[in-house]
Amino acid sequence: MTAPFVALGAFGTAAAGLAGLLVGSFLNVVAHRLPRGESIVFPASRCPACGAPIAAFDNVPILSWILLSGRCRACRAPIALRYPMLEAANGVLWALVFRAAPGWCDFLSGAFLCSASLALLAIDAEFQILPDAITLPGIVVGLVLAFGSLTRTPLQAAVGAALGAGGLYALAFTYEKIAGREGMGLGDVKMLGMVGALLGPVGLLVTVFAASISGSVVGILLILARGGDGRTRLPFGVFLALGAIAAWFFADPLFARYRALWP
Ligand SMILES: [Zn+2]
């Protein structure tokens, strides 16, 4: 844990984790309603099976799901395990980001990156889209928070955003020309603009590297398991999201080690 947060200690970590759980619950609403073009504010949460409104005491992150045995109180329709898992993942990540961040702006950008990535992961896995409503504001958030960051300058954030959006656009364009089919959507490009703004150029490269490797491994395994011609379209945003979260925690230490190899 680093300087400004030492005084807050375990209490701060627990508070960050609880806040992360609550935001994780909101991410479920975003991931469900945004791709369906519904308002993320109104109406209050309803059971997607029977339409019964969900009372506040049945909407406590993770706990309600366990107490209800993963079923709607009104109609007993199963509630997907994905909901409590997303809440738990966001809570754990916010606690870990709190322990690793050197200051408030870095905590906020790390927490934002994790939450936005989780929402994009859930949406891309189900709908194969990465909504502008998350990625474009994410670019702005990354640029603004860079002014108070202790790990990256506003220039690095701007270069990261430009490299992410511009560089990948060029790559996607070239691939399309050579292969004659679309390898990467514009949504991926905007998402990388957001990742670049929040992580800077080094974190962006680690993200792309990690996503390409893990995406290729999973793609090859799927082809081996199910057959197919390699054109099965994997939602690349899922791998970008996991890569970006990993890069927030590990890109700088990795880069420092890499640089230490050279005199
Ligand atoms: Zn129901």
Side-chain angles (χ1 to χ4, degrees):
M1 199 178 312
T2 42
F5 294 149
V6 167
L8 293 166
F11 173 77
T13 306
L18 280 177
L21 285 178
L22 291 172
V23 171
S25 188
F26 173 68
L27 293 180
N28 278 321
V29 176
V30 171
H32 185 82
R33 295 188 184 177
L34 198 58
R36 292 177 171 86
E38 299 168 11
S39 161
I40 54 171
V41 189
F42 296 108
S45 295
R46 287 168 182 280
C47 166
C50 70
I54 298 169
F57 57 82
D58 280 341
N59 213 358
V60 182
I62 304 175
L63 209 62
S64 290
W65 191 88
I66 296 172
L67 289 176
L68 290 167
S69 328
R71 286 174 182 282
C72 167
R73 185 183 289 277
C75 72
R76 309 302 295 159
I79 306 164
L81 185 61
R82 163 191 141 174
Y83 294 98
M85 277 178 64
L86 193 97
E87 288 162 354
N90 199 60
V92 169
L93 284 171
W94 276 38
L96 292 175
V97 166
F98 183 84
R99 293 188 69 84
W104 282 106
C105 283
D106 292 300
F107 168 71
L108 289 176
S109 57
F112 181 90
L113 178 80
C114 290
S115 296
S117 296
L118 287 177
L120 289 168
L121 185 159
I123 294 171
D124 200 32
E126 192 178 356
F127 296 92
Q128 287 78 51
I129 52 166
L130 297 163
D132 288 353
I134 298 174
T135 53
L136 297 183
I139 296 176
V140 177
V141 169
L143 292 175
V144 169
L145 287 175
F147 284 89
S149 168
L150 300 170
T151 58
R152 71 212 147 84
T153 62
L155 179 67
Q156 285 172 325
V159 169
L163 258 182
L168 265 127
Y169 184 73
L171 202 73
F173 183 77
T174 313
Y175 181 86
E176 219 176 306
K177 285 284 161 231
I178 296 172
R181 63 191 165 100
E182 200 177 71
M184 199 168 8
L186 268 182
D188 296 311
V189 169
K190 287 176 224 167
M191 179 175 177
L192 277 165
M194 175 190 93
V195 170
L198 285 158
L199 288 175
V202 172
L204 174 77
L205 289 178
V206 171
T207 301
V208 173
F209 190 70
S212 308
I213 301 269
S214 55
S216 305
V217 169
V218 172
I220 290 167
L221 288 177
L222 278 181
I223 291 168
L224 289 178
R226 298 198 301 215
D229 56 0
R231 294 200 175 197
T232 321
R233 186 149 164 73
L234 277 182
F236 193 49
V238 169
F239 299 97
L240 287 178
L242 295 174
I245 292 170
W248 191 87
F249 288 100
F250 302 120
D252 286 342
L254 270 180
F255 187 62
R257 274 202 196 179
Y258 174 76
R259 272 212 302 218
L261 293 175
W262 308 96

